[in-house]
Amino acid sequence: MRRITIDPITRLEGHGKIEIFLNEKGEVENALLQVPELRGFEKFCEGRKAEDMPQLTSRICGVCPVAHHMAATKALDACFGIKPTPLAKKLRELLYCGYIIYDHILHFYFLGGPDLLVGFQAEREKRNIFGIIEKVGKELGLEVIKHRAYGQLITEILGGKATHPVCGIPGGVTKGISEEEKKRIEDMLLSCKDFASKTLEIFHNLVLSNPEYVRIFKNENFSLDLYNMGLVDENNQLNFYDGEVRVTTPEGKEFIKFAPQDYLNHIQEAVVEWSYVKIPFLKEVGFKGLVPGKESGLYRVGPLARINVSEGIATQEANKEYERLLSFYGKKPITNVFAYHWARLIELLYACERGLELIREEGITGSDLRNLPASGGLGKPKEGVGIVEAARGTLIHHYKLDEKALIKEVNLIVATTNNKGAINLSIQQGAREYIKRDEITENSLNLIEIFFRCYDPCFACASHSFASPSLTFAIYDAQRNLIASLP
Amino acid sequence: MAKLKFAFYWAASCGGCEIAVLDINEKILDVIALADIVFWPVALDVKYKDVENFPQGFIDVTFFNGSVRNSEQEHLAKVLREKSKILIAFGSCAHKGCIPGLANLFSREEILERIYKNTPSTNNPKGILPKTEFENLTLPEFYEQVFPLDKVVPVDYYLPGCPPPTNLIIEAVEKIAQGKLPEKGSVLAPVKALCEDCARNPKEAKKMPDIKRMIEISPDPKKCFLEEGVICLGPVTRSGCQTRCINANWPCTGCLGPTPEVFDQGAKAISAIASILALDKEKSLPEEELDRMIEKISDPVGTFYMYSLPSSLIPKRRRR
């Protein structure tokens, strides 16, 4: 058996490594994505003060700190049995829109997007943000930088800091906004909305108008029949901040819908010897290994899964684009991995539109920022679950507190962890497509990386248990001798 | 002038330091005018093998973020040290160990057991753990403790913060461009304490009436946190962050690390709090009452060493 190693995989958040095994005929027999790190948040958060959790856990990921900050804050709301004030809830969701804006822009222009915009066949030296600027011009490059920064700035105004905000507290937020800040945020959101539309236009012109890409976007070999999971609001529409978790079957029917506190009835995680990241699966279906299909408990999360579990999008322009996506595929669920990119841009537009709705709400500059725990003291904290949709998928924080409101137990199931099985299967598909006997080139290995990038994986998050950002590819022969590797 | 060569690398970190680099926004174009980026896994497809093939001293400046948590990170730290003329510990993890360094309160086994066997969502009937070698697949070795970068290789400069404030990053790059870096070993941040920048600072030695937690009170945004009874690490922490947390009505938790005269940030914070707690009532309060007040400091390690445990006087929990 031959074996190929790619190490580290690049243009992603966190560390990862890919191992590909070929059989005697030189065909791909297996491909595995390994995450070579762990940090151990679930253990070392024990004993910490409850109110520090939104900040401690934001250090799981500096790319999606807001998602961890909010999942933690919502878990604490539940632990203390207090709801945020209506104003605090709006400000939290608005902060969340800023985060989705910067994170999705980051992925499309810096991480995954260069594969599409600069091109699959471009040299690796060009497939990056600088290559994009070269291709589409410095002017657009500056627009990218400006609007990613706007997303960060909106987050900073509302959260104190953009990376690792400090505003989340059970029952509310520590900080409101002034009239002047409201105006700034509104102006930035308007500009971001135009930029999101322009980005979709670029996507249509450079990608969807190119027959070669259309073939890839419709290639059945890049399709996965898996369950889909994501938060939805009471109308089963896309929501990042709040709602219930909806799971649909590979045929697109509702399989289950559950409230955050019930997640343990529906999700479990398998441990494998070869990776520090566990593999979550649907408890009702069971873990059957790395296989797709209805009998397999593996599921997908993230932009495409959210589109699949949602029945439409609540804002007008994003919903129009959603309809275009549906008519391109002509069916739902959408299963081709490359559709993740399109779904992500639809969400970018939604976050801008939703942010504009929120900033224009009456009383958004008000001061009713927080409900204090009962009797002004610590109350009797118990146990709580907080779920939000991180940019990369469903994020679950679950805490148990002691009588002094110190952390007794923590359980975390993080967005990219949920996708561990799906990413692995997509890499196998990519390896089968692009690795042909005796023809292993650097570019064919880079093409395999394109598959995991669709998911915008964040192994910093996934390795909250472990920690180190890099991925490797290695190729071994039938006797498991190393024959090629990247780097 | 020939262009410089920069490298950015992350070890055990969250990625926030990479975002901080992007947060210098259009100034990133100045960086590119000044230097070629020869290694940056988050943005460029350069692999480990490429770096290992660089000649010694090939890189002018490496910005290394994250702490050293496993054998792969230790290896890369050594490779990058050898290939770099200047190595900068970038961000709180590389500087002091940071929040993931709180893992030093537990053993490797306790962490692995919790994560792979005892969390409620884990289904692991065979009790398996990830292995460094499994059917020819390898994983780096997860170390017993977290190390800041300078415990593994010599470090030339430190850029503190979680993540480093963009103003400090821009200043550091400007100093590199002008060849005006200070003495080796320096922390590239102001020397004064955060209190001196704080708009809530009453400028007088404060007294702390009691110990309160943020969960219990909504502090007055104009008053000093310490005077409200909330622990704030402003007196022992470097300035340079523009008091952003404090402006959002959250006390300083110390991410920029200690001021230059302080060796152990947590110990100094404890001594600072002890000297002002119930200052006016010290003579009248019975001993038990003072003890009760001290008892109200919940989770002292997590509070005073949130960012600095792996570089403190006692970097790891001692075991009998």
Side-chain angles (χ1 to χ4, degrees), chain B residues 237-251:
Chain B
T237 302
R238 266 178 202 269
S239 54
C241 62
Q242 297 161 336
T243 66
R244 285 178 299 174
C245 296
I246 288 170
N247 297 346
N249 212 8
W250 194 271

PDB file of all heavy atoms in Angstrom, chain B residues 237-251:
ATOM      1  N   THR B 237      -0.481  45.395  35.347  1.00  0.00           N
ATOM      2  CA  THR B 237      -0.449  45.000  33.934  1.00  0.00           C
ATOM      3  C   THR B 237       0.036  46.149  33.069  1.00  0.00           C
ATOM      4  O   THR B 237      -0.283  47.309  33.324  1.00  0.00           O
ATOM      5  CB  THR B 237      -1.864  44.549  33.502  1.00  0.00           C
ATOM      6  OG1 THR B 237      -2.266  43.469  34.334  1.00  0.00           O
ATOM      7  CG2 THR B 237      -1.898  44.120  32.049  1.00  0.00           C
ATOM      8  N   ARG B 238       0.808  45.802  32.043  1.00  0.00           N
ATOM      9  CA  ARG B 238       1.285  46.818  31.107  1.00  0.00           C
ATOM     10  C   ARG B 238       0.150  47.510  30.382  1.00  0.00           C
ATOM     11  O   ARG B 238      -0.844  46.882  30.020  1.00  0.00           O
ATOM     12  CB  ARG B 238       2.124  46.146  30.017  1.00  0.00           C
ATOM     13  CG  ARG B 238       3.581  46.129  30.288  1.00  0.00           C
ATOM     14  CD  ARG B 238       4.272  45.408  29.157  1.00  0.00           C
ATOM     15  NE  ARG B 238       5.544  44.913  29.601  1.00  0.00           N
ATOM     16  CZ  ARG B 238       6.678  45.602  29.499  1.00  0.00           C
ATOM     17  NH1 ARG B 238       6.708  46.787  28.940  1.00  0.00           N
ATOM     18  NH2 ARG B 238       7.799  45.090  29.956  1.00  0.00           N
ATOM     19  N   SER B 239       0.350  48.765  30.083  1.00  0.00           N
ATOM     20  CA  SER B 239      -0.601  49.479  29.247  1.00  0.00           C
ATOM     21  C   SER B 239      -0.251  49.212  27.784  1.00  0.00           C
ATOM     22  O   SER B 239       0.723  48.526  27.487  1.00  0.00           O
ATOM     23  CB  SER B 239      -0.527  50.963  29.550  1.00  0.00           C
ATOM     24  OG  SER B 239       0.814  51.402  29.413  1.00  0.00           O
ATOM     25  N   GLY B 240      -1.054  49.778  26.892  1.00  0.00           N
ATOM     26  CA  GLY B 240      -0.808  49.586  25.468  1.00  0.00           C
ATOM     27  C   GLY B 240      -2.058  49.119  24.741  1.00  0.00           C
ATOM     28  O   GLY B 240      -2.113  49.095  23.520  1.00  0.00           O
ATOM     29  N   CYS B 241      -3.079  48.756  25.521  1.00  0.00           N
ATOM     30  CA  CYS B 241      -4.301  48.204  24.914  1.00  0.00           C
ATOM     31  C   CYS B 241      -5.382  49.259  24.768  1.00  0.00           C
ATOM     32  O   CYS B 241      -6.478  48.958  24.311  1.00  0.00           O
ATOM     33  CB  CYS B 241      -4.832  47.078  25.778  1.00  0.00           C
ATOM     34  SG  CYS B 241      -5.298  47.652  27.422  1.00  0.00           S
ATOM     35  N   GLN B 242      -5.109  50.468  25.189  1.00  0.00           N
ATOM     36  CA  GLN B 242      -6.097  51.549  25.154  1.00  0.00           C
ATOM     37  C   GLN B 242      -7.328  51.226  26.019  1.00  0.00           C
ATOM     38  O   GLN B 242      -8.444  51.627  25.701  1.00  0.00           O
ATOM     39  CB  GLN B 242      -6.485  51.879  23.706  1.00  0.00           C
ATOM     40  CG  GLN B 242      -5.266  52.388  22.944  1.00  0.00           C
ATOM     41  CD  GLN B 242      -5.411  52.319  21.434  1.00  0.00           C
ATOM     42  OE1 GLN B 242      -6.180  51.532  20.902  1.00  0.00           O
ATOM     43  NE2 GLN B 242      -4.651  53.134  20.736  1.00  0.00           N
ATOM     44  N   THR B 243      -7.109  50.492  27.060  1.00  0.00           N
ATOM     45  CA  THR B 243      -8.129  50.134  28.071  1.00  0.00           C
ATOM     46  C   THR B 243      -9.449  49.669  27.456  1.00  0.00           C
ATOM     47  O   THR B 243     -10.530  50.042  27.905  1.00  0.00           O
ATOM     48  CB  THR B 243      -8.415  51.304  29.063  1.00  0.00           C
ATOM     49  OG1 THR B 243      -9.018  52.385  28.345  1.00  0.00           O
ATOM     50  CG2 THR B 243      -7.151  51.805  29.733  1.00  0.00           C
ATOM     51  N   ARG B 244      -9.339  48.848  26.429  1.00  0.00           N
ATOM     52  CA  ARG B 244     -10.557  48.489  25.701  1.00  0.00           C
ATOM     53  C   ARG B 244     -11.555  47.683  26.534  1.00  0.00           C
ATOM     54  O   ARG B 244     -12.759  47.906  26.440  1.00  0.00           O
ATOM     55  CB  ARG B 244     -10.191  47.722  24.424  1.00  0.00           C
ATOM     56  CG  ARG B 244      -9.643  48.646  23.357  1.00  0.00           C
ATOM     57  CD  ARG B 244      -9.248  47.877  22.140  1.00  0.00           C
ATOM     58  NE  ARG B 244      -8.201  46.914  22.468  1.00  0.00           N
ATOM     59  CZ  ARG B 244      -7.734  46.026  21.614  1.00  0.00           C
ATOM     60  NH1 ARG B 244      -8.219  45.950  20.400  1.00  0.00           N
ATOM     61  NH2 ARG B 244      -6.767  45.202  21.961  1.00  0.00           N
ATOM     62  N   CYS B 245     -11.063  46.722  27.326  1.00  0.00           N
ATOM     63  CA  CYS B 245     -12.002  45.945  28.141  1.00  0.00           C
ATOM     64  C   CYS B 245     -12.684  46.844  29.161  1.00  0.00           C
ATOM     65  O   CYS B 245     -13.901  46.782  29.368  1.00  0.00           O
ATOM     66  CB  CYS B 245     -11.279  44.809  28.865  1.00  0.00           C
ATOM     67  SG  CYS B 245     -10.582  43.586  27.753  1.00  0.00           S
ATOM     68  N   ILE B 246     -11.859  47.685  29.792  1.00  0.00           N
ATOM     69  CA  ILE B 246     -12.391  48.577  30.820  1.00  0.00           C
ATOM     70  C   ILE B 246     -13.448  49.517  30.241  1.00  0.00           C
ATOM     71  O   ILE B 246     -14.482  49.773  30.859  1.00  0.00           O
ATOM     72  CB  ILE B 246     -11.215  49.333  31.483  1.00  0.00           C
ATOM     73  CG1 ILE B 246     -10.433  48.342  32.356  1.00  0.00           C
ATOM     74  CG2 ILE B 246     -11.700  50.523  32.293  1.00  0.00           C
ATOM     75  CD1 ILE B 246      -9.124  48.858  32.897  1.00  0.00           C
ATOM     76  N   ASN B 247     -13.208  49.991  29.013  1.00  0.00           N
ATOM     77  CA  ASN B 247     -14.209  50.850  28.374  1.00  0.00           C
ATOM     78  C   ASN B 247     -15.523  50.113  28.115  1.00  0.00           C
ATOM     79  O   ASN B 247     -16.576  50.729  28.005  1.00  0.00           O
ATOM     80  CB  ASN B 247     -13.695  51.389  27.028  1.00  0.00           C
ATOM     81  CG  ASN B 247     -12.470  52.272  27.206  1.00  0.00           C
ATOM     82  OD1 ASN B 247     -12.153  52.694  28.320  1.00  0.00           O
ATOM     83  ND2 ASN B 247     -11.771  52.547  26.114  1.00  0.00           N
ATOM     84  N   ALA B 248     -15.432  48.800  27.996  1.00  0.00           N
ATOM     85  CA  ALA B 248     -16.649  48.007  27.809  1.00  0.00           C
ATOM     86  C   ALA B 248     -17.209  47.545  29.154  1.00  0.00           C
ATOM     87  O   ALA B 248     -18.041  46.637  29.225  1.00  0.00           O
ATOM     88  CB  ALA B 248     -16.377  46.811  26.914  1.00  0.00           C
ATOM     89  N   ASN B 249     -16.746  48.171  30.210  1.00  0.00           N
ATOM     90  CA  ASN B 249     -17.220  47.894  31.571  1.00  0.00           C
ATOM     91  C   ASN B 249     -16.855  46.487  32.051  1.00  0.00           C
ATOM     92  O   ASN B 249     -17.639  45.826  32.717  1.00  0.00           O
ATOM     93  CB  ASN B 249     -18.735  48.137  31.676  1.00  0.00           C
ATOM     94  CG  ASN B 249     -19.116  48.631  33.063  1.00  0.00           C
ATOM     95  OD1 ASN B 249     -18.250  48.935  33.898  1.00  0.00           O
ATOM     96  ND2 ASN B 249     -20.409  48.702  33.330  1.00  0.00           N
ATOM     97  N   TRP B 250     -15.663  46.064  31.682  1.00  0.00           N
ATOM     98  CA  TRP B 250     -15.145  44.788  32.215  1.00  0.00           C
ATOM     99  C   TRP B 250     -13.747  45.064  32.764  1.00  0.00           C
ATOM    100  O   TRP B 250     -12.960  45.764  32.116  1.00  0.00           O
ATOM    101  CB  TRP B 250     -15.085  43.732  31.102  1.00  0.00           C
ATOM    102  CG  TRP B 250     -14.897  42.366  31.694  1.00  0.00           C
ATOM    103  CD1 TRP B 250     -13.711  41.767  31.970  1.00  0.00           C
ATOM    104  CD2 TRP B 250     -15.919  41.462  32.106  1.00  0.00           C
ATOM    105  NE1 TRP B 250     -13.933  40.537  32.548  1.00  0.00           N
ATOM    106  CE2 TRP B 250     -15.282  40.329  32.645  1.00  0.00           C
ATOM    107  CE3 TRP B 250     -17.323  41.506  32.101  1.00  0.00           C
ATOM    108  CZ2 TRP B 250     -15.986  39.235  33.164  1.00  0.00           C
ATOM    109  CZ3 TRP B 250     -18.025  40.412  32.612  1.00  0.00           C
ATOM    110  CH2 TRP B 250     -17.351  39.290  33.142  1.00  0.00           C
ATOM    111  N   PRO B 251     -13.412  44.543  33.941  1.00  0.00           N
ATOM    112  CA  PRO B 251     -12.095  44.849  34.520  1.00  0.00           C
ATOM    113  C   PRO B 251     -10.945  44.241  33.716  1.00  0.00           C
ATOM    114  O   PRO B 251     -11.151  43.306  32.963  1.00  0.00           O
ATOM    115  CB  PRO B 251     -12.174  44.211  35.908  1.00  0.00           C
ATOM    116  CG  PRO B 251     -13.192  43.135  35.775  1.00  0.00           C
ATOM    117  CD  PRO B 251     -14.206  43.643  34.789  1.00  0.00           C
TER     118      PRO B 251
END
